Amino acid sequence: TAANDVTVAAAAAITGKVTSGQTGLPLSGVTVELRNQSNVLISTTTTNTEGNYSFTQLAAGTYNLNFAASSFITSTRTTTITAGQTQVLNVILQPQPGNVTGTVLSQDGTPVNGATIKLIDQFNTVITTVTTNAQGQYTISSVTPGQYSITVSASNFQSQSRGVTINSGQTTVSNFTLTPSPGTVTGTITSSAGTPIEGAIIEVLDSGSNVIATATSNAQGQYTINRLAPGTFRLRATAQNFQTSLLGFTIQAGQTTNQNIVLQPSPGNL
């Protein structure tokens, strides 16, 4: 009687762990597809609570594995296994990026064109910089999910900064209303003879004649009043033995207005 020898190839396996590229933690519920080189689906499984998966009883050969999870970018890996081998294939899935968009306006609702927008991470590193368009709009795309801050700056406006959370696969809206930079009024108080007047009281009056700022001229007759909101005001200057002077002036955002004042002697003090 003839004896036939039959050789049976030992089965192979593929196993591994799937983790998050953002947190480093295991990902459960990840769908893992096993396909052959012809892209025919061989088997499907999902990762357990520890992020582990496995395919067993496999024939030797080359396989493609697709890893898919909600809010993560699908990853495809290729591996070749030999008979009896257990191939360990660990995979890190990266979260789907998010976006942030918004509009930058002035306090009167006018779009701020050319405002600089900076996206800054938790390590105070500037990730990207963009500028607003003519409609005051900006968009920063393909941002890794996480906590950031956004700073907005524009000529003649005060800068603003706020925190923002970027979520995977979502667009976050962050609008800004900028306050105009304060302006300054400065000048010299002199007599009609051109002599500087020290100790003159200079007051800024609003449209309701309310005094909103005050300064005193120095020995050179000079004064400066800072941090005035843009707008139209009146300037009142008084000094002993001189007639009070009242004149209008305008403050532009971030600008310095020069207002020199000549005081006339009070009657009887010529």
Side-chain angles (χ1 to χ4, degrees):
T1 300
N4 294 323
D5 294 329
V6 178
T7 301
V8 179
I14 303 173
T15 186
K17 180 187 288 286
V18 181
T19 55
S20 166
Q22 183 179 13
T23 66
L25 298 175
L27 291 175
S28 63
V30 177
T31 300
V32 187
E33 293 182 343
L34 181 71
R35 294 177 179 268
N36 63 17
Q37 286 185 291
S38 300
N39 205 36
V40 175
L41 181 64
I42 305 299
S43 182
T44 301
T45 189
T46 56
T47 57
N48 62 18
T49 56
E50 300 300 321
N52 296 321
Y53 74 94
S54 65
F55 295 102
T56 59
Q57 301 300 312
L58 300 178
T62 299
Y63 295 89
N64 296 319
L65 290 89
N66 297 325
F67 300 83
S70 177
S71 299
F72 287 85
I73 300 172
T74 298
S75 177
T76 299
R77 303 287 294 274
T78 300
T79 188
T80 300
I81 52 176
T82 58
Q85 177 190 13
T86 296
Q87 175 76 282
V88 177
L89 183 62
N90 297 324
V91 174
I92 299 174
L93 292 186
Q94 299 299 332
Q96 291 181 356
N99 308 308
V100 59
T101 188
T103 303
V104 181
L105 303 175
S106 64
Q107 287 186 321
D108 63 2
T110 303
V112 180
N113 184 19
T116 299
I117 315 293
K118 292 184 179 181
L119 184 69
I120 302 171
D121 67 13
Q122 292 178 303
F123 302 101
N124 206 34
T125 300
V126 176
I127 302 302
T128 189
T129 301
V130 298
T131 56
T132 55
N133 60 18
Q135 290 73 47
Q137 301 164 337
Y138 74 93
T139 297
I140 301 174
S141 304
S142 301
V143 181
T144 301
Q147 300 292 326
Y148 297 87
S149 63
I150 295 178
T151 63
V152 181
S153 58
S155 178
N156 296 327
F157 288 92
Q158 299 181 47
S159 298
Q160 282 191 27
S161 181
R162 75 163 64 116
V164 65
T165 300
I166 306 296
N167 296 309
S168 179
Q170 298 182 19
T171 296
T172 299
V173 177
S174 189
N175 298 321
F176 291 84
T177 300
L178 299 185
T179 301
S181 296
T184 298
V185 60
T186 187
T188 303
I189 311 297
T190 59
S191 67
S192 56
T195 304
I197 298 175
E198 181 180 3
I201 304 299
I202 300 93
E203 299 169 311
V204 176
L205 284 66
D206 63 14
S207 58
S209 296
N210 301 301
V211 176
I212 60 173
T214 302
T216 303
S217 60
N218 62 17
Q220 289 74 44
Q222 299 165 339
Y223 75 93
T224 297
I225 300 175
N226 298 308
R227 303 195 62 77
L228 293 174
T232 299
F233 303 92
R234 288 184 297 166
L235 200 63
R236 182 167 63 194
T238 58
Q240 187 175 8
N241 299 325
F242 288 90
Q243 298 180 47
T244 297
S245 174
L246 192 66
L247 63 126
F249 70 102
T250 299
I251 291 291
Q252 302 291 339
Q255 303 296 313
T256 296
T257 298
N258 190 273
Q259 288 289 337
N260 296 323
I261 301 174
V262 178
L263 296 184
Q264 301 296 325
S266 297
N269 288 286
L270 297 177

